Amino acid sequence: MAVRGGPPPWESPELTGTGRVPMHSVPHLDRVPLDGRWRFQLLPSPDAEPAAEWGEAEVPGCWTMQGSGAPPHYTNVVMPFPGLPPTPPAANPTGLYEREVEVPSAWAGRRVVLHVGAAESVLIARVNGREVGIGKDAHLASEFDVTDVVRPGSNTISLTVVKWSDATYVEDQEIE
């Protein structure tokens, strides 16, 4: 999951995203909602291999609030892991979300945008096995133009959410 042969996105302070549509406030009126139950796995690190069996997670929602065994941790003084920026720990909880989505046949030839409402800290989005982009703005929406990847009928959306990144060092600071 390295960007052009470089370090992985969770260790790249200069990277805030790839393949994203610019942020905007215009609603998408013609859409397929993605809220609901998704297949889910919580891995011990971004490089861990997925298991054969999947659980479920509710979207929108945070795996930390859905009994995953990785509860939320608020801190404004000491980082929740040892080490120095920009490298997060190797043991870095990573959630895999996956879901089949039906794209209407009427959308053939139209621009199709994947909207992910928020993720913390790194979001890697794939559609039909192809990476479509990365978002690294915790709790902000990321959108990706997936026109060239989706097809009418069933499509697989996969979202990898890496809990800690180089950005965690900045996001963890409380300004007084």
Side-chain angles (χ1 to χ4, degrees):
M1 287 186 265
V3 178
R4 288 182 229 117
W10 50 92
E11 294 180 11
S12 303
E14 67 283 356
L15 177 71
T16 60
T18 62
R20 293 192 321 186
V21 174
M23 292 184 187
H24 60 88
S25 61
V26 178
H28 300 288
L29 301 178
D30 197 9
R31 55 191 231 128
V32 173
L34 299 178
D35 293 354
R37 304 294 288 169
W38 285 59
R39 291 184 297 274
F40 178 77
Q41 288 189 40
L42 181 61
L43 304 179
S45 70
D47 296 325
E49 289 294 322
E53 293 187 30
W54 292 76
E56 290 188 329
E58 191 70 28
V59 172
C62 297
W63 80 64
T64 57
M65 300 300 290
Q66 295 185 42
S68 67
H73 178 92
Y74 174 78
T75 177
N76 68 343
V77 178
V78 178
M79 293 301 294
F81 50 81
L84 298 173
T87 308
N92 189 352
T94 300
L96 300 181
Y97 293 82
E98 192 171 277
R99 179 175 175 167
E100 300 300 316
V101 175
E102 289 292 318
V103 173
S105 57
W107 288 13
R110 289 180 44 188
R111 180 177 188 225
V112 179
V113 174
L114 170 62
H115 174 92
V116 180
E120 181 186 358
S121 162
V122 176
L123 164 70
I124 302 166
R126 292 179 187 80
V127 176
N128 296 326
R130 185 167 148 206
E131 188 173 302
V132 295
I134 298 169
K136 219 166 83 173
D137 294 319
H139 303 290
L140 292 178
S142 289
E143 292 187 328
F144 308 95
D145 187 330
V146 296
T147 305
D148 295 336
V149 184
V150 297
R151 58 188 176 269
S154 183
N155 293 267
T156 303
I157 297 176
S158 302
L159 305 174
T160 301
V161 180
V162 182
K163 184 172 184 174
W164 295 314
S165 72
D166 52 273
T168 303
Y169 292 94
V170 176
E171 293 166 352
D172 192 55
Q173 303 305 307
E174 185 167 297
I175 300 171
E176 295 184 20

PDB file of all heavy atoms in Angstrom, residues 132-146:
ATOM      1  N   VAL A 132      -8.844   3.045  -5.451  1.00  0.00           N
ATOM      2  CA  VAL A 132      -9.359   4.261  -6.081  1.00  0.00           C
ATOM      3  C   VAL A 132      -8.885   5.517  -5.378  1.00  0.00           C
ATOM      4  O   VAL A 132      -9.005   6.615  -5.922  1.00  0.00           O
ATOM      5  CB  VAL A 132     -10.903   4.261  -6.184  1.00  0.00           C
ATOM      6  CG1 VAL A 132     -11.364   3.153  -7.118  1.00  0.00           C
ATOM      7  CG2 VAL A 132     -11.558   4.133  -4.815  1.00  0.00           C
ATOM      8  N   GLY A 133      -8.320   5.380  -4.155  1.00  0.00           N
ATOM      9  CA  GLY A 133      -7.810   6.564  -3.490  1.00  0.00           C
ATOM     10  C   GLY A 133      -7.556   6.361  -2.018  1.00  0.00           C
ATOM     11  O   GLY A 133      -7.878   5.325  -1.437  1.00  0.00           O
ATOM     12  N   ILE A 134      -6.954   7.407  -1.445  1.00  0.00           N
ATOM     13  CA  ILE A 134      -6.585   7.425  -0.034  1.00  0.00           C
ATOM     14  C   ILE A 134      -7.051   8.749   0.561  1.00  0.00           C
ATOM     15  O   ILE A 134      -6.910   9.790  -0.074  1.00  0.00           O
ATOM     16  CB  ILE A 134      -5.053   7.303   0.124  1.00  0.00           C
ATOM     17  CG1 ILE A 134      -4.559   5.974  -0.450  1.00  0.00           C
ATOM     18  CG2 ILE A 134      -4.626   7.470   1.583  1.00  0.00           C
ATOM     19  CD1 ILE A 134      -3.056   5.879  -0.575  1.00  0.00           C
ATOM     20  N   GLY A 135      -7.577   8.703   1.753  1.00  0.00           N
ATOM     21  CA  GLY A 135      -7.936   9.911   2.487  1.00  0.00           C
ATOM     22  C   GLY A 135      -7.271   9.881   3.848  1.00  0.00           C
ATOM     23  O   GLY A 135      -7.239   8.846   4.504  1.00  0.00           O
ATOM     24  N   LYS A 136      -6.720  11.017   4.256  1.00  0.00           N
ATOM     25  CA  LYS A 136      -6.017  11.069   5.536  1.00  0.00           C
ATOM     26  C   LYS A 136      -6.427  12.301   6.326  1.00  0.00           C
ATOM     27  O   LYS A 136      -5.609  12.916   6.968  1.00  0.00           O
ATOM     28  CB  LYS A 136      -4.505  11.070   5.272  1.00  0.00           C
ATOM     29  CG  LYS A 136      -3.735  10.232   6.264  1.00  0.00           C
ATOM     30  CD  LYS A 136      -2.327   9.954   5.822  1.00  0.00           C
ATOM     31  CE  LYS A 136      -1.387  11.053   6.124  1.00  0.00           C
ATOM     32  NZ  LYS A 136      -0.002  10.735   5.853  1.00  0.00           N
ATOM     33  N   ASP A 137      -7.667  12.635   6.300  1.00  0.00           N
ATOM     34  CA  ASP A 137      -8.214  13.737   7.094  1.00  0.00           C
ATOM     35  C   ASP A 137      -9.205  13.131   8.058  1.00  0.00           C
ATOM     36  O   ASP A 137     -10.362  12.900   7.713  1.00  0.00           O
ATOM     37  CB  ASP A 137      -8.926  14.758   6.202  1.00  0.00           C
ATOM     38  CG  ASP A 137      -7.992  15.486   5.276  1.00  0.00           C
ATOM     39  OD1 ASP A 137      -6.898  15.849   5.724  1.00  0.00           O
ATOM     40  OD2 ASP A 137      -8.342  15.682   4.102  1.00  0.00           O
ATOM     41  N   ALA A 138      -8.764  12.838   9.267  1.00  0.00           N
ATOM     42  CA  ALA A 138      -9.625  12.155  10.231  1.00  0.00           C
ATOM     43  C   ALA A 138     -10.939  12.891  10.424  1.00  0.00           C
ATOM     44  O   ALA A 138     -10.975  14.098  10.639  1.00  0.00           O
ATOM     45  CB  ALA A 138      -8.899  12.000  11.569  1.00  0.00           C
ATOM     46  N   HIS A 139     -12.006  12.153  10.339  1.00  0.00           N
ATOM     47  CA  HIS A 139     -13.363  12.631  10.578  1.00  0.00           C
ATOM     48  C   HIS A 139     -13.855  13.644   9.557  1.00  0.00           C
ATOM     49  O   HIS A 139     -14.804  14.380   9.825  1.00  0.00           O
ATOM     50  CB  HIS A 139     -13.511  13.174  12.010  1.00  0.00           C
ATOM     51  CG  HIS A 139     -13.143  12.153  13.040  1.00  0.00           C
ATOM     52  ND1 HIS A 139     -13.905  11.043  13.297  1.00  0.00           N
ATOM     53  CD2 HIS A 139     -12.069  12.061  13.847  1.00  0.00           C
ATOM     54  CE1 HIS A 139     -13.328  10.324  14.228  1.00  0.00           C
ATOM     55  NE2 HIS A 139     -12.209  10.921  14.585  1.00  0.00           N
ATOM     56  N   LEU A 140     -13.233  13.697   8.382  1.00  0.00           N
ATOM     57  CA  LEU A 140     -13.746  14.502   7.276  1.00  0.00           C
ATOM     58  C   LEU A 140     -14.105  13.564   6.128  1.00  0.00           C
ATOM     59  O   LEU A 140     -13.523  12.492   5.988  1.00  0.00           O
ATOM     60  CB  LEU A 140     -12.704  15.518   6.798  1.00  0.00           C
ATOM     61  CG  LEU A 140     -12.363  16.639   7.770  1.00  0.00           C
ATOM     62  CD1 LEU A 140     -11.276  17.531   7.181  1.00  0.00           C
ATOM     63  CD2 LEU A 140     -13.594  17.468   8.105  1.00  0.00           C
ATOM     64  N   ALA A 141     -15.045  13.989   5.313  1.00  0.00           N
ATOM     65  CA  ALA A 141     -15.470  13.161   4.182  1.00  0.00           C
ATOM     66  C   ALA A 141     -14.377  13.056   3.126  1.00  0.00           C
ATOM     67  O   ALA A 141     -13.596  13.987   2.928  1.00  0.00           O
ATOM     68  CB  ALA A 141     -16.732  13.755   3.561  1.00  0.00           C
ATOM     69  N   SER A 142     -14.351  11.915   2.462  1.00  0.00           N
ATOM     70  CA  SER A 142     -13.497  11.698   1.296  1.00  0.00           C
ATOM     71  C   SER A 142     -14.390  11.198   0.178  1.00  0.00           C
ATOM     72  O   SER A 142     -15.253  10.344   0.398  1.00  0.00           O
ATOM     73  CB  SER A 142     -12.419  10.648   1.576  1.00  0.00           C
ATOM     74  OG  SER A 142     -11.443  11.125   2.451  1.00  0.00           O
ATOM     75  N   GLU A 143     -14.180  11.731  -1.003  1.00  0.00           N
ATOM     76  CA  GLU A 143     -14.934  11.278  -2.168  1.00  0.00           C
ATOM     77  C   GLU A 143     -13.953  10.902  -3.268  1.00  0.00           C
ATOM     78  O   GLU A 143     -12.912  11.537  -3.427  1.00  0.00           O
ATOM     79  CB  GLU A 143     -15.885  12.360  -2.666  1.00  0.00           C
ATOM     80  CG  GLU A 143     -17.015  12.629  -1.704  1.00  0.00           C
ATOM     81  CD  GLU A 143     -18.055  13.572  -2.278  1.00  0.00           C
ATOM     82  OE1 GLU A 143     -17.706  14.457  -3.082  1.00  0.00           O
ATOM     83  OE2 GLU A 143     -19.227  13.419  -1.900  1.00  0.00           O
ATOM     84  N   PHE A 144     -14.328   9.851  -4.018  1.00  0.00           N
ATOM     85  CA  PHE A 144     -13.472   9.334  -5.075  1.00  0.00           C
ATOM     86  C   PHE A 144     -14.297   9.117  -6.332  1.00  0.00           C
ATOM     87  O   PHE A 144     -15.396   8.551  -6.259  1.00  0.00           O
ATOM     88  CB  PHE A 144     -12.846   8.006  -4.638  1.00  0.00           C
ATOM     89  CG  PHE A 144     -12.166   8.079  -3.297  1.00  0.00           C
ATOM     90  CD1 PHE A 144     -12.837   7.706  -2.138  1.00  0.00           C
ATOM     91  CD2 PHE A 144     -10.871   8.546  -3.184  1.00  0.00           C
ATOM     92  CE1 PHE A 144     -12.227   7.775  -0.896  1.00  0.00           C
ATOM     93  CE2 PHE A 144     -10.247   8.622  -1.943  1.00  0.00           C
ATOM     94  CZ  PHE A 144     -10.926   8.239  -0.801  1.00  0.00           C
ATOM     95  N   ASP A 145     -13.784   9.561  -7.478  1.00  0.00           N
ATOM     96  CA  ASP A 145     -14.454   9.337  -8.753  1.00  0.00           C
ATOM     97  C   ASP A 145     -14.189   7.885  -9.155  1.00  0.00           C
ATOM     98  O   ASP A 145     -13.054   7.508  -9.422  1.00  0.00           O
ATOM     99  CB  ASP A 145     -13.920  10.299  -9.818  1.00  0.00           C
ATOM    100  CG  ASP A 145     -14.707  10.227 -11.111  1.00  0.00           C
ATOM    101  OD1 ASP A 145     -15.247   9.146 -11.434  1.00  0.00           O
ATOM    102  OD2 ASP A 145     -14.776  11.245 -11.814  1.00  0.00           O
ATOM    103  N   VAL A 146     -15.242   7.078  -9.164  1.00  0.00           N
ATOM    104  CA  VAL A 146     -15.093   5.650  -9.460  1.00  0.00           C
ATOM    105  C   VAL A 146     -15.762   5.272 -10.782  1.00  0.00           C
ATOM    106  O   VAL A 146     -16.007   4.095 -11.053  1.00  0.00           O
ATOM    107  CB  VAL A 146     -15.649   4.793  -8.295  1.00  0.00           C
ATOM    108  CG1 VAL A 146     -14.835   5.028  -7.028  1.00  0.00           C
ATOM    109  CG2 VAL A 146     -17.126   5.070  -8.045  1.00  0.00           C
TER     110      VAL A 146
END
